[in-house]
Amino acid sequence: MSVGENSLPPEPADALAAVVALRRLADQLEAAAVEQAMRAGWSWPQVSEALGVTRQAVHKKHAKRLIAAGVKLRRRGDERV
Amino acid sequence: MSAFDKYLHGVIVRAMEEAQDDGSATIDAHHLLLSLAADQGSTAQQVLASVGLDRAAVREALDRECEHSLSMVGVSPAAYDLPGPSHASQQPKMGASARLALERSFASARKKDLRSAHLLLGILQAHIGTVPRALALAGIDQAELADRVRQTLIGQEQ
């Protein structure tokens, strides 16, 4: 997919609404992807590095939800070598 | 707490649940609309139902809007068969669009005269954003719907 000059929707309302919808989709994708990674045994530092955000940010955004969903989270010190 | 305050509290709590189900960090105007449409017996719900908008129909319109907007930049949501998020963790906070809808509602009547229909009117006063786009895609004439709400309010005053 490319969003070059040519493919920007001609109507500003459509272009702006697309931004809103993409953010929503990205949030959903992030939630699913983080859950998948944590279920597969990834650690917070690994997930945060992959997402390019701080560990605090990713933890704050997802920890409670994952704990509530019964995902077993690796703690610091559990790192496998 | 007045009857309207209690009603408003219920609307916001349900809107928050809608936001959580969406995996949304904010309560948006469309969550308020879903909440109003689901509130059996209120005037707002009845006016919405009179144009075929029950909660399921509003949800469908919102999904279509999202799909339509994504298609504008060449993205097909069907390409992402995502599992629904395990329930959102943080309590969603009031977002800008919902805040605006409430402000418009409160500005439309004296506090003691506020009714459920004023909340709907506040949401319908937006000309830009997810709600107007979803309504248009569902074939709803938003101005006409707002007029219906106003008529109902006039009827209630008499």
Side-chain angles (χ1 to χ4, degrees):
Chain A
M1 185 200 81
S2 75
V3 187
E5 213 174 337
N6 294 332
S7 56
L8 193 63
E11 284 294 323
D14 288 333
L16 293 167
V19 174
V20 175
L22 281 170
R23 283 205 181 113
R24 200 177 307 145
L25 184 61
D27 281 345
Q28 289 169 0
L29 189 58
E30 178 179 324
V34 170
E35 182 163 342
Q36 181 191 43
M38 297 307 280
R39 282 188 193 279
W42 284 49
S43 65
W44 289 116
Q46 289 172 322
V47 170
S48 59
E49 194 173 346
L51 287 173
V53 297
T54 65
R55 197 171 58 211
Q56 286 81 357
V58 79
H59 192 274
K60 185 170 177 227
K61 201 165 168 188
H62 299 285
K64 257 200 215 163
R65 174 175 64 86
L66 295 180
I67 290 164
V71 179
K72 199 167 168 289
L73 304 177
R74 285 172 62 191
R75 284 183 294 175
R76 228 181 293 187
D78 280 358
E79 313 292 305
R80 272 175 248 151
V81 188
Chain B
M1 230 202 225
S2 73
F4 178 77
D5 286 337
K6 268 185 212 152
Y7 173 77
L8 177 62
H9 180 74
V11 168
I12 291 174
V13 167
R14 270 195 317 278
M16 192 189 290
E17 288 165 1
E18 293 285 1
Q20 271 178 328
D21 287 347
D22 259 359
S24 170
T26 50
I27 302 171
D28 301 318
H30 62 267
H31 297 126
L32 290 176
L33 185 62
L34 285 165
S35 175
L36 290 184
D39 186 37
Q40 292 302 322
S42 72
T43 308
Q45 180 264 326
Q46 284 165 0
V47 176
L48 286 169
S50 74
V51 294
L53 289 175
D54 58 9
R55 190 206 162 277
V58 175
R59 181 73 261 174
E60 200 188 314
L62 291 168
D63 291 345
R64 271 188 64 191
E65 191 282 325
C66 192
E67 227 165 280
H68 175 75
S69 293
L70 286 174
S71 75
M72 289 283 150
V73 287
V75 176
S76 161
Y80 299 89
D81 189 17
L82 296 174
S86 314
H87 230 261
S89 53
Q90 287 158 330
Q91 249 194 10
K93 296 186 177 65
M94 198 60 84
S97 63
R99 220 175 267 279
L100 199 54
L102 291 180
E103 277 168 21
R104 286 170 173 155
S105 305
F106 300 156
S108 65
R110 286 177 299 182
K111 191 170 186 302
K112 67 181 178 65
D113 295 330
L114 284 170
R115 303 280 181 275
S116 70
H118 290 107
L119 292 183
L120 180 54
L121 204 53
I123 296 169
L124 293 177
Q125 273 165 33
H127 295 299
I128 294 170
T130 304
V131 170
R133 289 173 67 83
L135 292 178
L137 279 171
I140 302 285
D141 182 333
Q142 191 178 331
E144 200 254 353
L145 179 58
D147 276 342
R148 265 185 203 236
V149 180
R150 288 191 193 94
Q151 293 298 326
T152 313
L153 281 165
I154 292 167
Q156 279 182 342
E157 274 165 25
Q158 283 158 359

